[in-house]
Amino acid sequence: EDQVTQSPEALRLQEGESSSLNCSYTVSGLRGLFWYRQDPGKGPEFLFTLYSAGEEKEKERLKATLTKKESFLHITAPKPEDSATYLCAVILTGGGNKLTFGTGTQLKVEL
Amino acid sequence: GAVVSQHPSWVICKSGTSVKIECRSLDFQATTMFWYRQFPKQSLMLMATSNEGSKATYEQGVEKDKFLINHASLTLSTLTVTSAHPEDSSFYICSAALTTDTQYFGPGTRLTVL
């Protein structure tokens, strides 16, 4: 069975304290991996798409990387406004464009 | 770019009534739209995939007669929750695909059934 697992479930950081969120996947065939940010009571906001092992994407304090088994979302010198739930999702080969989501990592960045 | 809107943002209804939620892609045409529901502290669960001009494809366990989906144009899809009951209370989110893969999400609709 295809599975997407995110860890940790929750993470509390001090402002400026860099860290990484993990998304591991066990799937029949990966076509693409997505990272989204979701604020409470809002819909997910698209961050990155990764297609190949070794690929990296960056946006401001966020950097996403992909291997054959997992993806990391690195947060460098986070600020309180980075607090949100970060969702990982995959699209499978032969699965059309259906997204399968992980359960998310709830990040809180404190002053 | 790639903005998706939903209306209403929240709705409260009585048990047994029907509720319609609209999803619009504002600045692009979306051949495919998706409907999700999300319970508190849980991730998004896909309910159905909607292609313009054709019948929606529902995920296993989703009642097609209860959750009616219409995708009449390249910028509008609607979800109607028929004969709503308290257990249908949830956060409903739509998304629209700009390219084959990338989905852009609406802000969500909070449904409360009394």
Side-chain angles (χ1 to χ4, degrees), chain A residues 27-49:
Chain A
V27 298
S28 50
L30 180 75
R31 196 171 93 222
L33 185 142
F34 299 78
W35 282 98
Y36 287 88
R37 167 194 170 128
Q38 186 176 27
D39 292 300
K42 304 274 183 70
E45 174 190 346
F46 172 72
L47 294 174
F48 303 109
T49 310

Side-chain angles (χ1 to χ4, degrees), chain B residues 22-59:
Chain B
E22 288 188 352
C23 175
R24 293 180 185 272
S25 56
L26 297 184
D27 52 1
F28 65 100
Q29 292 185 328
T31 53
T32 308
M33 288 184 168
F34 304 82
W35 287 95
Y36 296 81
R37 66 189 295 182
Q38 186 176 33
F39 291 106
K41 306 254 184 224
Q42 294 187 24
S43 194
L44 282 76
M45 294 299 295
L46 179 65
M47 298 174 66
T49 302
S50 166
N51 289 294
E52 186 261 342
S54 61
K55 289 184 178 180
T57 302
Y58 290 82
E59 293 299 299

Side-chain angles (χ1 to χ4, degrees), chain A residues 4-6 23 86-90 100-105, chain B residues 42-44:
Chain A
V4 180
T5 305
Q6 290 187 246
C23 171
Y86 291 84
L87 298 169
C88 163
V90 299
T100 301
F101 278 89
T103 50
T105 293
Chain B
Q42 294 187 24
S43 194
L44 282 76

Side-chain angles (χ1 to χ4, degrees), chain A residues 10-30:
Chain A
L11 180 62
R12 183 171 287 188
L13 299 173
Q14 295 296 310
E15 184 176 12
E17 179 186 2
S18 301
S19 187
S20 296
L21 313 182
N22 178 264
C23 171
S24 63
Y25 56 92
T26 307
V27 298
S28 50
L30 180 75

Side-chain angles (χ1 to χ4, degrees), chain A residues 55-71:
Chain A
E55 189 175 359
E56 298 182 351
K57 294 270 181 76
E58 277 189 78
K59 179 182 178 180
E60 296 180 356
R61 295 178 292 281
L62 301 177
K63 178 180 173 181
T65 62
L66 181 66
T67 72
K68 289 186 178 180
K69 294 183 178 181
E70 59 193 347
S71 176

Side-chain angles (χ1 to χ4, degrees), chain B:
Chain B
V3 178
V4 178
S5 71
Q6 274 184 250
H7 179 79
S9 55
W10 59 270
V11 57
I12 301 172
C13 69
K14 292 183 179 179
S15 186
T17 61
S18 295
V19 173
K20 180 185 282 188
I21 302 170
E22 288 188 352
C23 175
R24 293 180 185 272
S25 56
L26 297 184
D27 52 1
F28 65 100
Q29 292 185 328
T31 53
T32 308
M33 288 184 168
F34 304 82
W35 287 95
Y36 296 81
R37 66 189 295 182
Q38 186 176 33
F39 291 106
K41 306 254 184 224
Q42 294 187 24
S43 194
L44 282 76
M45 294 299 295
L46 179 65
M47 298 174 66
T49 302
S50 166
N51 289 294
E52 186 261 342
S54 61
K55 289 184 178 180
T57 302
Y58 290 82
E59 293 299 299
Q60 194 170 10
V62 177
E63 300 174 60
K64 63 178 70 175
D65 293 330
K66 180 167 190 61
F67 298 99
L68 301 179
I69 292 172
N70 183 277
H71 192 163
S73 77
L74 288 173
T75 59
L76 173 64
S77 177
T78 61
L79 168 69
T80 301
V81 183
T82 63
S83 186
H85 291 285
E87 57 266 30
D88 298 322
S89 298
S90 189
F91 191 50
Y92 292 87
I93 311 174
C94 73
S95 71
L98 175 59
T99 65
T100 304
D101 293 339
T102 304
Q103 293 180 30
Y104 293 87
F105 287 82
T109 296
R110 173 76 56 194
L111 170 64
T112 301
V113 185
L114 302 177

